[in-house]
Amino acid sequence: MNIIIVLAIILAICMLIIGGKKGLRSFIALFLNFIVVIVLLFFMNVPQFNPILLTFIACIVVSIINLFYINEVNPMTKIAFVSTLATTGFLVVLIWLFTKSSLIQGFGEEETEELSMMSLHIGLDFQQIVISVIIMSTIGAITDAAIAIASPMREMLTLHPEATRKQLFDFGMHIGRDIIGTSANTLFFAFFGSYLALLIWFNDLSYSLGEIVNSKIFSSELITICCAGIGVTLVIPITAFIASYFLKDTKEETHLS
């Protein structure tokens, strides 16, 4: 526990020195998001509540914290917020279709020994739980991509107020193409970094490549990565489109007034 406190203090100092007040807000936002997740887990244990709806509400709260609390309320964060909600709403439907057909809910064969002494009749829909897990895994990457597109587009219009909507949209897409590769690689290596022990375990069990790919644990994580990648990719044109119209209209109204 002492190590965690020391690391948290070092992180807070680094974020404060490098990021200033915004860095301090970012550090506080980490704990606020942690509280949101804890509250989400608490309400998920209540059978009367729909886990997917609760997760979507939690994503809204997380987006508000990450966008409006850290970066304050401005046109840039408003665009990123709307883009995040639109992308997340589309992903909920997409994830529901994929998880329903892939049957990745529940536990894998490798976990049956540890769970043999426990009851699985907990009164919760495992398919809804796995959808909630995937949604929460994607919200951070989607929010980051949305703000990464909206912020430079705002600066672009400030420096070049004569730019047309199409030019703004093309500029946002150009930035988006640059961050797609890095975002996809971040998600990919985050998976292998977190589940390296699992892959070693598969190797000890002498799993073939086909058995690894078709195992429920591996498939669920790979589907999570793919859904997160789809979300990061889709939020780019959505943010660029919304920003090109919203920022241009705001600029024109400012000139008229």
Side-chain angles (χ1 to χ4, degrees):
M1 185 63 183
N2 293 332
I3 298 298
I4 297 177
I5 295 175
V6 172
L7 289 174
I9 293 173
I10 295 174
L11 176 61
I13 293 174
C14 292
M15 295 179 74
L16 181 61
I17 294 175
I18 298 175
K21 292 182 178 180
K22 187 173 288 187
L24 181 60
R25 289 198 199 102
S26 300
F27 181 77
I28 297 174
L30 291 175
F31 290 93
L32 295 178
N33 289 331
F34 178 75
I35 293 173
V36 172
V37 174
I38 295 299
V39 173
L40 174 63
L41 293 176
F42 175 79
F43 281 103
M44 274 189 174
N45 287 325
V46 181
Q48 290 78 10
F49 291 105
N50 187 302
I52 300 176
L53 179 60
L54 289 174
T55 304
F56 190 77
I57 295 174
C59 289
I60 295 175
V61 177
V62 169
S63 300
I64 291 173
I65 294 172
N66 292 342
L67 294 173
F68 298 133
Y69 175 71
I70 297 176
N71 300 290
E72 301 179 350
V73 179
N74 52 57
M76 175 186 65
T77 53
K78 291 178 181 178
I79 292 170
F81 180 72
V82 174
S83 303
T84 299
L85 292 188
T87 306
T88 304
F90 176 79
L91 269 184
V92 169
V93 179
L94 190 66
I95 292 170
W96 182 81
L97 292 175
F98 278 121
T99 54
K100 186 177 180 180
S101 58
S102 60
L103 301 176
I104 60 172
Q105 67 273 12
F107 302 96
E109 296 178 358
E110 300 80 7
E111 301 168 300
T112 54
E113 183 176 350
E114 291 80 4
L115 297 171
S116 59
M117 301 300 294
M118 302 180 184
S119 175
L120 300 180
H121 299 287
I122 59 177
L124 296 176
D125 189 333
F126 280 94
Q127 184 175 355
Q128 293 182 350
I129 296 297
V130 73
I131 293 174
S132 299
V133 170
I134 297 176
I135 295 171
M136 287 300 296
S137 301
T138 60
I139 185 63
I142 292 173
T143 304
D144 288 341
I147 198 71
I149 299 298
S151 180
M153 289 184 67
R154 183 187 181 191
E155 294 299 322
M156 169 68 174
L157 188 60
T158 301
L159 295 174
H160 302 280
E162 74 283 356
T164 63
R165 288 190 176 92
K166 185 179 185 306
Q167 289 174 331
L168 281 176
F169 178 80
D170 292 340
F171 178 74
M173 292 298 295
H174 179 74
I175 296 173
R177 294 187 184 99
D178 291 336
I179 69 174
I180 283 179
T182 55
S183 299
N185 281 305
T186 299
L187 296 170
F188 177 79
F189 285 109
F191 163 74
F192 279 100
S194 301
Y195 285 87
L196 183 60
L198 175 65
L199 297 176
I200 295 174
W201 186 28
F202 283 155
N203 182 63
D204 292 339
L205 294 174
S206 300
Y207 273 30
S208 65
L209 180 61
E211 289 174 326
I212 293 175
V213 173
N214 288 286
S215 66
K216 185 173 290 189
I217 300 176
F218 186 87
S219 298
S220 63
E221 295 302 323
L222 205 58
I223 289 175
T224 301
I225 294 175
C226 292
C227 290
I230 292 172
V232 171
T233 304
L234 288 179
V235 78
I236 291 171
I238 292 175
T239 305
F241 178 80
I242 295 175
S244 62
Y245 277 84
F246 182 80
L247 290 176
K248 192 64 179 178
D249 290 342
T250 303
K251 196 73 175 180
E252 291 175 354
E253 291 176 2
T254 302
H255 284 305
L256 291 174
S257 59

